[in-house]
Amino acid sequence: MSEAVSSKLSTRVWIMILTGAVIVTLSMGVRQSFGLFLGPLGLELQVDRQTFGLIVAGQNLLFGLLQPFVGAWADRHGAGKVAVFGAVVYAIGMVVAATAANALGLAIGFGALVGLAMAGCTFTVILGAVGKIVPADKRTLAFGIVTAGGSFGQFLVVPAAQGLLDALDWRLTLAVLGGLIVLIIPLALGVAGKPPAAISAQDGPPIGQALQEAFGDRSFWLLNAGFFVCGFHIAFVGTHLPSYIRDQGLPAEVGAWSLALIGLFNIAGSWLWGAWGSKRSKKGLLALLYALRAAAIAIFLVVPISPVSVLAFAATFGFLWLGTVPLTNGLVAQIYGLRHLSALGGIVFLSHQVGAFLGAWLAGVAFDATGSYLVIWLVSIGLGLLAAAANLPIREAPLVRPETVPAE
């Protein structure tokens, strides 16, 4: 594929970027509100934190396990159909969760169905479509714009969900949020269509050889290691921060606004990390980002907790929240080519979701065992430092292939 996008495609490029950003806004915005439901649904259905954390963890794991296969399908057939399927299943999952009578109903709705759905209408599929039509020097920036959509959704949807919970109940609130997900269906037209025909053997070998190349490359596994830590951090904080804040005697509204502030500051963070990644070393920026996460958590733990300290932490962590996504996907495209961007990006995302599974679940286990989240906070600091170290040795250059492989 040519690295330059024709001026005739400029409108199409922007339509795909903007509609993709809105799709991620809705899918991730609703998903990031789930931590608010732990209190009310846990009380009514007698679901403890460990069980709720396990349900959310299972959702994250299923999301990740399916992502490489869904990504490969989108690489071949386009993102539009995948996004529509994801939206339909997502809405059904929200209805199932809203009518749940016990933990099993939540596991089917929140866990299985939403996990399946998110593989089709979040970052990997949308970024794969965008990456194939954006020029190389703007690709990571475009990824940052789409990623910022997830944070904008968090900023808008999380406070709205808290307001709905205060005015209605958790069941009706889930039904309303499910209605928002339905809006993804018409928006999927903006990312519809097969990948450009120009993407061929010049942009990567057939999928089997591409997998062999990636699995035999140390840089691929280092990317996986870093993204594992990202998932652990985000799932732990996103799922358990509101409860942690309530445990410290602060109002529930502080927890809701902390998640919203994470989303607000990540709008700027995703865009800026993506913009920096278009001009500077992506692996160096990833190492810096993970180190800053570790420092932010350490400072949060030693400063006396108050609404101000919570919101300051949320703003700081928000700036670092999803800046990993454009940088990591940018490296996958830069090193391994565009042909299987969604499939290879999906495998890296699987490691993210394994981390998310452990972050959401182990936090609940640790709290039930010790009555505190302290051990998970400390583990999060250590993992941040390890992720920073893991990114530094990555070989930040296109993979050299001995010969061109004919297109399938």
Side-chain angles (χ1 to χ4, degrees):
M1 177 183 176
S2 171
E3 293 292 3
V5 174
S6 166
S7 59
K8 294 182 179 179
L9 294 178
S10 60
T11 300
R12 170 62 176 153
V13 169
W14 277 110
I15 288 173
M16 183 171 284
I17 290 173
L18 295 177
T19 55
V22 177
I23 289 171
V24 175
T25 293
L26 294 171
S27 60
M28 292 301 295
V30 170
R31 165 62 187 82
Q32 293 295 342
S33 72
F34 287 177
L36 301 177
F37 292 86
L38 173 55
L41 71 81
L43 184 63
E44 180 175 335
L45 302 182
Q46 299 299 301
V47 173
D48 59 23
R49 297 188 193 192
Q50 181 175 341
T51 301
F52 185 81
L54 182 60
I55 290 171
V56 174
Q59 173 205 104
N60 283 310
L61 185 60
L62 181 60
F63 179 10
L65 288 171
L66 292 171
Q67 192 67 85
F69 304 101
V70 175
W73 199 89
D75 280 331
R76 182 175 292 272
H77 301 287
K81 293 178 182 178
V82 176
V84 169
F85 175 78
V88 171
V89 177
Y90 202 143
I92 294 172
M94 296 294 285
V95 172
V96 171
T99 56
N102 49 39
L104 178 61
L106 290 177
I108 295 172
F110 267 168
L113 291 175
V114 173
L116 169 62
M118 291 186 70
C121 56
T122 51
F123 295 116
T124 301
V125 167
I126 303 301
L127 294 181
V130 169
K132 292 179 175 67
I133 65 170
V134 175
D137 62 340
K138 301 293 184 185
R139 188 174 297 134
T140 309
L141 173 60
F143 287 169
I145 294 172
V146 174
T147 304
S151 299
F152 189 62
Q154 186 171 341
F155 175 66
L156 291 177
V157 175
V158 172
Q162 183 64 58
L164 289 170
L165 282 170
D166 292 340
L168 306 172
D169 65 10
W170 66 270
R171 296 183 186 275
L172 287 175
T173 299
L174 286 177
V176 172
L177 295 178
L180 287 179
I181 293 299
V182 174
L183 296 176
I184 292 175
I185 296 174
L187 288 166
L189 291 172
V191 297
K194 291 186 177 181
I199 294 180
S200 62
Q202 294 181 356
D203 299 286
I207 184 64
Q209 185 177 338
L211 292 174
Q212 288 181 346
E213 286 181 346
F215 291 165
D217 184 21
R218 184 181 70 153
S219 294
F220 188 74
W221 295 111
L222 293 173
L223 275 174
N224 276 272
F227 223 29
F228 169 91
V229 174
C230 179
F232 188 98
H233 284 164
I234 286 176
F236 165 48
V237 173
T239 303
H240 294 276
L241 182 62
S243 296
Y244 173 78
I245 291 168
R246 288 198 303 271
D247 292 342
Q248 305 304 309
L250 299 178
E253 290 77 11
V254 177
W257 279 107
S258 67
L259 293 183
L261 207 60
I262 287 173
L264 176 63
F265 275 79
N266 192 47
I267 296 171
S270 295
W271 175 71
L272 285 172
W273 288 106
W276 294 333
S278 292
K279 301 176 181 179
R280 296 176 175 84
S281 166
K282 298 177 184 63
K283 70 174 186 178
L285 290 170
L286 280 169
L288 174 62
L289 191 155
Y290 285 120
L292 290 174
R293 280 191 185 182
I297 295 171
I299 293 170
F300 181 52
L301 292 181
V302 300
V303 172
I305 194 163
S306 68
V308 172
S309 71
V310 168
L311 297 179
F313 169 74
T316 303
F317 214 72
F319 185 75
L320 308 169
W321 188 250
L322 292 177
T324 57
V325 174
L327 295 172
T328 301
N329 282 272
L331 278 173
V332 172
Q334 179 179 341
I335 298 171
Y336 306 104
L338 299 175
R339 189 177 182 185
H340 304 296
L341 176 56
S342 293
L344 294 178
I347 294 171
V348 178
F349 190 76
L350 170 58
S351 69
H352 182 283
Q353 294 309 99
V354 172
F357 173 88
L358 294 174
W361 176 49
L362 292 179
V365 172
F367 183 87
D368 288 346
T370 67
S372 169
Y373 290 112
L374 178 60
V375 65
I376 302 299
W377 285 118
L378 296 176
V379 167
S380 296
I381 294 172
L383 287 175
L385 296 175
L386 287 174
N391 276 274
L392 290 174
I394 289 173
R395 177 188 42 78
E396 197 169 14
L399 194 68
V400 177
R401 299 185 173 96
E403 60 183 15
T404 299
V405 181
E408 289 178 319

